Amino acid sequence: MQVAVIALFFGFWEIAADRWIPALFVSRPSLIAATMWKWMLDGTYLRATWATLQATLLGFVAGASTGMVAGYATGSWPRLGVVVAPIMTALYTLPRLALAPLFLLWFGLGLEFRVVFAATIVFFLVYYNTYFGVREVSGELVAAVRIMGASRWQLTRRVIIPSALTWVAAGLKISVPYALVGVVVAEMLAGSEGLGYLLAKNAEQFAAHATFAAIAGVLFIALAIDALVTLVTRRALKWKTMGAPTL
Amino acid sequence: MRPDTALRDESPVLLEFREVSFGFTEEEMILDGFNLSVGAHEFVALLGPSGCGKSTLLNLSAGLARPFAGRVLFQGEPVAGVNRNVGYMTQGDTLLPWLTVARNVLLPLEIRRSPVASRRAQLAAALSLVDLTDAAAKYPSELSGGMKRRALLARSLIYDPPMLLMDEPFAALDAQLRETMHAELLRTVNRTRSSVLFVTHDISESILLADRILVLGGRPLTVRDVVCPPFGKNRDLDAVRSSVEYARLEANIRSVMYRPKTSAELSLAAVPA
C-alpha cells in the first residue's frame, strides 16, 4: 500500500515536471535518480556521507557524554541543580544558530566547528532527560534497596542509573537525528565537504536535481541511524516491553 | 487463656524496645517511653489506626530512624545504622523492574557481598520456599500480584534474617489473594522459624496470623490491649475463621479499638513531652 502511494507520487511528479510545474524548481525523478547513480559510482556520496557521519558521531558522543555527566550531577545534588538551573535554561533557550558565527570564529571552518555545533544541540537534549531521569527515581525503590544495607554508590549503580536509563535512552534516541541536523546545518553554513555542503552548493547553482539527490542522501543516513538507535535502545530496555501486550 | 505463652517464655528475646521515645518534632511525640519485646519465632501483630505510629516501630527496628531517648536492642545489641538482620516488606511494589525475579531475589546477597559460591543454592532455596522456581527468569511486569508478593517475600528471606518486618504487606491485594498469601506466609515463616513484626489495621488479618496482637492507639503510641489468639503455630486458617473463638476475639478487639480513650490514656497523652 505504502509502496503504491510512493510510486504514484513519483509517477505524478515525473509527469507534472515541466508540464504544470517548472522543472527548474522541482526537477524530475528520473534525473534525480541518474544523479544519485552517478554520485554513487564516482564516490561523491561516499565522501560526503563519510564526512557527515564522522561529524555526527563525534558531535553526538561529545554532547551525549557531557550531557549525561552534567545531568547526573545536577540531578543527584539538588543544591547544584538549583544553582545551575537558570544558566542552563538561558543557554537552552538561546537559538543555537545564533552561536554559529561565534563558533566559526573560535573553531574555523573545519571538522571541529561541525562537531561542536552538533554537540551543543545534543548536550541539552541528553542533559534534561538525564536530569529528570535521576530526579524521577522512585523513592520507594531507593528505600527498599537502602534497607538491604546498600551504600550510596550501590544505590547509584543498582537503582538510580538503571532507573534513569529509560529517560536517558529516550534522550539519546531523539538527539541522534538532531546531531545529524546540527552537522548538516553547519555544513550548509560553512564548510567544504559533507552532504550539507553538497546540498547548499547545488541549491545555489539552481541544480534542483542535485539538491534532491543530496537530500536523498541525508534521508538515507537519517533512516539508517534511527534504525540503529531503535535496535540498541530496544535491547537495553527489553525489560520494559516484556509482558506488555505485543501488537 | 494463654496457651502459647510457654513457647514465648522459653524463647530468647530477639527485639526489644526499652523506654523508647521518638517524634518528628520535639513537641509532638509519636513514641513516649515505649516498651516492647518480641521473641524468637514469634508472630506479633501491631494493630492500630493509620497514623498512630505503627510504621515508626518498624523503622526504628530496621535502624532507619534513631530514638530520641531509650534503646532499641536487637539480639541484645543496640541497633545502630541499618539493621541487616531483618527483612523488610512493605505494601509497595519494590521489585526492580529491570531485573528478573532471580536477580531481584539475589539483590540483597549482592549488596552484602555474600560469598558467591553459595548464592545459587540460596536462590534456589528462597524461590522454592515461595514456589516461584519456574518464574526465575521472568521480569516483574510478567508477574501477577500474588507472584510479586511471593518474590518480595523471597527477597526478604534469602539471607535468612531472624526477623521479618512487614508493613501492611498484603494491603494492595484483593480479598481472595490476601487469604492465599496469609496461608503462604504462615507456612513460610514456620519453615524458616523467623519472627515477624506485622503492621496492619485489619483486625481479621491480625487474629488469623499472630501469636500476639498489640492493639495500639495514638498519639503518643499506647498499647490499649494485648491479645493472644490461641490457635497455635500450625493453624488451619479456614477452621480459625469459622471458629467461635475467632468471632469472640474480633468483637473484643473491635470494642477496644474503637472505644474512646480511657482517662488513664487521656492523662498520659496530655503529659507534655
Side-chain angles (χ1 to χ4, degrees):
Chain A
M1 186 61 200
Q2 279 127 322
V3 177
V5 170
I6 293 167
L8 202 70
F9 172 73
F10 280 121
F12 173 75
W13 185 356
E14 186 72 41
I15 295 163
D18 254 359
R19 281 203 183 83
W20 306 309
I21 315 164
L24 177 66
F25 297 142
V26 296
S27 187
R28 57 176 75 234
S30 54
L31 195 57
I32 295 167
T35 313
M36 287 169 72
W37 182 246
K38 195 185 116 216
W39 283 358
M40 231 180 286
L41 294 182
D42 70 7
T44 309
Y45 260 146
L46 198 67
R47 258 177 287 120
T49 305
W50 170 239
T52 303
L53 264 184
Q54 197 185 7
T56 305
L57 190 70
L58 289 172
F60 173 74
V61 169
S65 55
T66 50
M68 273 193 264
V69 171
Y72 175 73
T74 49
S76 34
W77 290 292
R79 229 171 284 166
L80 181 67
V82 170
V83 174
V84 173
I87 305 170
M88 283 294 180
T89 312
L91 290 176
Y92 177 60
T93 355
L94 183 72
R96 238 48 49 78
L97 213 52
L99 290 177
L102 201 59
F103 285 163
L104 263 178
L105 191 70
W106 291 346
F107 303 107
L109 288 170
L111 179 68
E112 293 91 339
F113 165 65
R114 279 167 266 153
V115 169
V116 170
F117 191 71
T120 55
I121 298 177
V122 171
F123 174 84
F124 286 99
L125 292 171
V126 175
Y127 169 79
Y128 277 110
N129 271 283
T130 310
Y131 175 75
F132 287 117
V134 171
R135 296 293 297 270
E136 293 295 305
V137 172
S138 146
E140 219 179 7
L141 286 189
V142 171
V145 177
R146 210 164 74 85
I147 289 165
M148 297 174 200
S151 63
R152 194 186 160 90
W153 161 240
Q154 282 176 321
L155 269 183
T156 304
R157 197 170 79 81
R158 302 273 178 186
V159 185
I160 296 172
I161 290 179
S163 171
L165 218 55
T166 328
W167 285 71
V168 176
L172 293 180
K173 188 166 159 54
I174 52 171
S175 68
V176 171
Y178 277 101
L180 181 64
V181 170
V183 169
V184 170
V185 168
E187 284 168 348
M188 288 171 69
L189 282 174
S192 53
E193 54 180 353
L195 288 166
Y197 166 72
L198 209 58
L199 211 158
K201 188 188 74 179
N202 285 300
E204 275 166 23
Q205 296 168 354
F206 296 101
H209 61 96
T211 312
F212 274 114
I215 290 174
V218 175
L219 186 69
F220 173 74
I221 345 185
L223 289 177
I225 288 176
D226 187 64
L228 190 72
V229 175
T230 306
L231 196 74
V232 171
T233 47
R234 189 179 296 159
R235 291 201 72 171
L237 300 176
K238 189 171 131 232
W239 59 270
K240 271 218 117 158
T241 47
M242 291 294 280
T246 42
L247 297 170
Chain B
M1 198 231 32
R2 298 179 65 184
D4 256 347
T5 41
L7 179 92
R8 267 194 309 283
D9 292 346
E10 281 165 18
S11 61
V13 171
L14 200 57
L15 173 75
E16 196 176 1
F17 279 62
R18 278 192 202 154
E19 295 294 319
V20 172
S21 297
F22 181 83
F24 294 110
T25 60
E26 293 281 351
E27 289 76 39
E28 206 200 351
M29 299 301 279
I30 295 170
L31 300 182
D32 193 6
F34 190 82
N35 291 297
L36 167 74
S37 59
V38 180
H41 195 29
E42 190 185 17
F43 198 124
V44 175
L46 303 171
L47 176 67
S50 314
C52 74
K54 303 179 302 258
S55 301
T56 304
L57 291 178
L58 293 195
N59 286 338
L60 287 163
S61 311
L64 296 176
R66 282 165 167 271
F68 285 0
R71 300 215 289 170
V72 179
L73 302 171
F74 195 87
Q75 290 172 327
E77 298 286 320
V79 172
V82 173
N83 184 355
R84 286 181 166 220
N85 290 310
V86 296
Y88 202 125
M89 186 171 160
T90 61
Q91 64 170 290
D93 176 10
T94 58
L95 293 170
L96 303 184
W98 52 87
L99 297 181
T100 59
V101 169
R103 294 293 311 279
N104 259 297
V105 173
L106 277 171
L107 193 62
L109 299 184
E110 290 172 1
I111 280 171
R112 277 148 210 258
R113 302 203 169 80
S114 77
V116 178
S118 58
R119 281 185 197 169
R120 187 188 285 268
Q122 281 172 285
L123 174 67
L127 288 179
S128 87
L129 193 65
V130 297
D131 204 14
L132 270 184
T133 308
D134 294 338
K138 291 194 168 170
Y139 285 92
S141 57
E142 298 173 276
L143 302 183
S144 66
M147 288 165 98
K148 281 184 186 175
R149 293 288 104 190
R150 301 212 300 263
L152 286 165
L153 188 58
R155 191 175 73 179
S156 321
L157 288 171
I158 190 167
Y159 45 91
D160 290 324
M163 177 176 268
L164 262 182
L165 306 174
M166 307 188 94
D167 194 349
E168 307 202 20
F170 308 132
L173 303 182
D174 62 66
Q176 226 172 352
L177 188 52
R178 198 151 61 224
E179 283 184 12
T180 318
M181 289 310 300
H182 286 155
E184 289 194 15
L185 175 64
L186 282 187
R187 186 178 56 82
T188 307
V189 296
N190 283 341
R191 277 215 265 167
T192 57
R193 302 191 63 78
S194 335
S195 301
V196 182
L197 196 54
F198 191 100
V199 162
T200 181
H201 59 243
D202 181 341
I203 297 175
S204 147
E205 186 171 52
S206 70
I207 300 172
L208 287 173
L209 298 176
D211 302 318
R212 181 155 59 110
I213 303 168
L214 304 186
V215 185
L216 303 170
R219 298 182 165 193
L221 195 69
T222 47
V223 179
R224 298 184 134 200
D225 200 2
V226 179
V227 179
C228 298
F231 304 115
K233 282 283 174 196
N234 296 309
R235 52 185 79 173
D236 172 353
L237 292 185
D238 287 328
V240 169
R241 223 176 268 117
S242 52
S243 68
V244 181
E245 189 61 26
Y246 170 86
R248 200 183 61 79
L249 284 175
E250 188 179 17
N252 272 356
I253 294 174
R254 196 173 290 278
S255 69
V256 173
M257 239 176 121
Y258 298 120
R259 73 160 187 238
K261 282 193 172 177
T262 61
S263 56
E265 282 169 353
L266 279 174
S267 64
L268 196 66
V271 175

mmCIF file of all heavy atoms in Angstrom, chain A residues 72-90:
data_model
loop_
_atom_site.group_PDB
_atom_site.id
_atom_site.type_symbol
_atom_site.label_atom_id
_atom_site.label_comp_id
_atom_site.label_asym_id
_atom_site.label_seq_id
_atom_site.Cartn_x
_atom_site.Cartn_y
_atom_site.Cartn_z
ATOM 1 N N TYR A 72 23.445 14.029 35.438
ATOM 2 C CA TYR A 72 23.515 13.191 36.624
ATOM 3 C C TYR A 72 23.949 14.009 37.841
ATOM 4 O O TYR A 72 23.356 13.913 38.920
ATOM 5 C CB TYR A 72 24.490 12.023 36.414
ATOM 6 C CG TYR A 72 24.668 11.228 37.670
ATOM 7 C CD1 TYR A 72 23.638 10.401 38.115
ATOM 8 C CD2 TYR A 72 25.802 11.355 38.457
ATOM 9 C CE1 TYR A 72 23.751 9.703 39.306
ATOM 10 C CE2 TYR A 72 25.917 10.665 39.651
ATOM 11 C CZ TYR A 72 24.895 9.834 40.067
ATOM 12 O OH TYR A 72 25.002 9.177 41.250
ATOM 13 N N ALA A 73 24.972 14.871 37.627
ATOM 14 C CA ALA A 73 25.492 15.672 38.747
ATOM 15 C C ALA A 73 24.420 16.610 39.289
ATOM 16 O O ALA A 73 24.170 16.644 40.495
ATOM 17 C CB ALA A 73 26.719 16.461 38.304
ATOM 18 N N THR A 74 23.762 17.348 38.410
ATOM 19 C CA THR A 74 22.760 18.305 38.896
ATOM 20 C C THR A 74 21.519 17.594 39.414
ATOM 21 O O THR A 74 20.840 18.096 40.295
ATOM 22 C CB THR A 74 22.346 19.302 37.797
ATOM 23 O OG1 THR A 74 22.033 18.561 36.630
ATOM 24 C CG2 THR A 74 23.443 20.282 37.488
ATOM 25 N N GLY A 75 21.242 16.400 38.886
ATOM 26 C CA GLY A 75 20.075 15.648 39.358
ATOM 27 C C GLY A 75 20.282 15.065 40.736
ATOM 28 O O GLY A 75 19.357 15.002 41.538
ATOM 29 N N SER A 76 21.509 14.633 41.035
ATOM 30 C CA SER A 76 21.694 13.975 42.329
ATOM 31 C C SER A 76 22.125 14.932 43.432
ATOM 32 O O SER A 76 21.995 14.592 44.596
ATOM 33 C CB SER A 76 22.669 12.801 42.212
ATOM 34 O OG SER A 76 23.657 13.051 41.277
ATOM 35 N N TRP A 77 22.641 16.119 43.092
ATOM 36 C CA TRP A 77 22.884 17.133 44.130
ATOM 37 C C TRP A 77 21.946 18.303 43.909
ATOM 38 O O TRP A 77 22.250 19.206 43.126
ATOM 39 C CB TRP A 77 24.340 17.605 44.112
ATOM 40 C CG TRP A 77 25.284 16.562 44.592
ATOM 41 C CD1 TRP A 77 25.381 16.086 45.873
ATOM 42 C CD2 TRP A 77 26.257 15.840 43.826
ATOM 43 N NE1 TRP A 77 26.344 15.106 45.940
ATOM 44 C CE2 TRP A 77 26.901 14.943 44.704
ATOM 45 C CE3 TRP A 77 26.635 15.871 42.491
ATOM 46 C CZ2 TRP A 77 27.896 14.075 44.288
ATOM 47 C CZ3 TRP A 77 27.631 15.009 42.067
ATOM 48 C CH2 TRP A 77 28.250 14.126 42.969
ATOM 49 N N PRO A 78 20.803 18.276 44.585
ATOM 50 C CA PRO A 78 19.773 19.290 44.329
ATOM 51 C C PRO A 78 20.302 20.720 44.453
ATOM 52 O O PRO A 78 19.894 21.603 43.704
ATOM 53 C CB PRO A 78 18.736 19.013 45.415
ATOM 54 C CG PRO A 78 18.964 17.595 45.820
ATOM 55 C CD PRO A 78 20.421 17.325 45.626
ATOM 56 N N ARG A 79 21.253 20.941 45.385
ATOM 57 C CA ARG A 79 21.748 22.300 45.570
ATOM 58 C C ARG A 79 22.464 22.795 44.310
ATOM 59 O O ARG A 79 22.290 23.914 43.873
ATOM 60 C CB ARG A 79 22.689 22.346 46.774
ATOM 61 C CG ARG A 79 22.341 23.492 47.712
ATOM 62 C CD ARG A 79 23.143 23.406 49.004
ATOM 63 N NE ARG A 79 22.630 22.382 49.890
ATOM 64 C CZ ARG A 79 23.312 21.915 50.951
ATOM 65 N NH1 ARG A 79 24.519 22.363 51.211
ATOM 66 N NH2 ARG A 79 22.774 21.007 51.737
ATOM 67 N N LEU A 80 23.270 21.905 43.735
ATOM 68 C CA LEU A 80 23.958 22.235 42.491
ATOM 69 C C LEU A 80 22.936 22.493 41.389
ATOM 70 O O LEU A 80 23.065 23.440 40.605
ATOM 71 C CB LEU A 80 24.887 21.088 42.101
ATOM 72 C CG LEU A 80 25.715 21.265 40.830
ATOM 73 C CD1 LEU A 80 26.739 22.361 41.018
ATOM 74 C CD2 LEU A 80 26.408 19.970 40.450
ATOM 75 N N GLY A 81 21.886 21.660 41.365
ATOM 76 C CA GLY A 81 20.842 21.795 40.356
ATOM 77 C C GLY A 81 20.197 23.170 40.399
ATOM 78 O O GLY A 81 19.977 23.805 39.365
ATOM 79 N N VAL A 82 19.935 23.660 41.628
ATOM 80 C CA VAL A 82 19.300 24.965 41.799
ATOM 81 C C VAL A 82 20.203 26.076 41.260
ATOM 82 O O VAL A 82 19.751 26.995 40.581
ATOM 83 C CB VAL A 82 18.954 25.207 43.289
ATOM 84 C CG1 VAL A 82 18.522 26.648 43.522
ATOM 85 C CG2 VAL A 82 17.874 24.238 43.733
ATOM 86 N N VAL A 83 21.488 25.966 41.552
ATOM 87 C CA VAL A 83 22.438 26.997 41.114
ATOM 88 C C VAL A 83 22.542 27.025 39.594
ATOM 89 O O VAL A 83 22.534 28.072 38.962
ATOM 90 C CB VAL A 83 23.842 26.731 41.728
ATOM 91 C CG1 VAL A 83 24.874 27.701 41.156
ATOM 92 C CG2 VAL A 83 23.778 26.859 43.246
ATOM 93 N N VAL A 84 22.603 25.838 39.008
ATOM 94 C CA VAL A 84 22.879 25.725 37.577
ATOM 95 C C VAL A 84 21.626 25.962 36.724
ATOM 96 O O VAL A 84 21.725 26.403 35.580
ATOM 97 C CB VAL A 84 23.497 24.335 37.285
ATOM 98 C CG1 VAL A 84 23.643 24.115 35.800
ATOM 99 C CG2 VAL A 84 24.855 24.204 37.968
ATOM 100 N N ALA A 85 20.447 25.715 37.314
ATOM 101 C CA ALA A 85 19.206 25.743 36.526
ATOM 102 C C ALA A 85 19.015 26.992 35.670
ATOM 103 O O ALA A 85 18.758 26.869 34.464
ATOM 104 C CB ALA A 85 18.007 25.528 37.454
ATOM 105 N N PRO A 86 19.129 28.216 36.240
ATOM 106 C CA PRO A 86 18.894 29.402 35.383
ATOM 107 C C PRO A 86 19.893 29.520 34.237
ATOM 108 O O PRO A 86 19.524 29.931 33.132
ATOM 109 C CB PRO A 86 19.032 30.583 36.354
ATOM 110 C CG PRO A 86 19.606 30.048 37.607
ATOM 111 C CD PRO A 86 19.390 28.584 37.640
ATOM 112 N N ILE A 87 21.142 29.124 34.508
ATOM 113 C CA ILE A 87 22.167 29.195 33.461
ATOM 114 C C ILE A 87 21.806 28.246 32.322
ATOM 115 O O ILE A 87 21.844 28.606 31.142
ATOM 116 C CB ILE A 87 23.551 28.819 34.038
ATOM 117 C CG1 ILE A 87 23.869 29.705 35.249
ATOM 118 C CG2 ILE A 87 24.628 28.935 32.970
ATOM 119 C CD1 ILE A 87 25.083 29.262 36.033
ATOM 120 N N MET A 88 21.420 27.024 32.707
ATOM 121 C CA MET A 88 21.057 26.020 31.707
ATOM 122 C C MET A 88 19.857 26.478 30.891
ATOM 123 O O MET A 88 19.833 26.335 29.670
ATOM 124 C CB MET A 88 20.720 24.694 32.396
ATOM 125 C CG MET A 88 21.952 23.939 32.852
ATOM 126 S SD MET A 88 22.945 23.406 31.441
ATOM 127 C CE MET A 88 24.279 22.572 32.269
ATOM 128 N N THR A 89 18.866 27.028 31.586
ATOM 129 C CA THR A 89 17.663 27.482 30.885
ATOM 130 C C THR A 89 18.021 28.567 29.878
ATOM 131 O O THR A 89 17.560 28.548 28.736
ATOM 132 C CB THR A 89 16.637 28.021 31.895
ATOM 133 O OG1 THR A 89 16.512 27.073 32.950
ATOM 134 C CG2 THR A 89 15.287 28.246 31.249
ATOM 135 N N ALA A 90 18.865 29.513 30.304
ATOM 136 C CA ALA A 90 19.262 30.607 29.417
ATOM 137 C C ALA A 90 19.957 30.051 28.174
ATOM 138 O O ALA A 90 19.616 30.397 27.044
ATOM 139 C CB ALA A 90 20.187 31.565 30.164
#
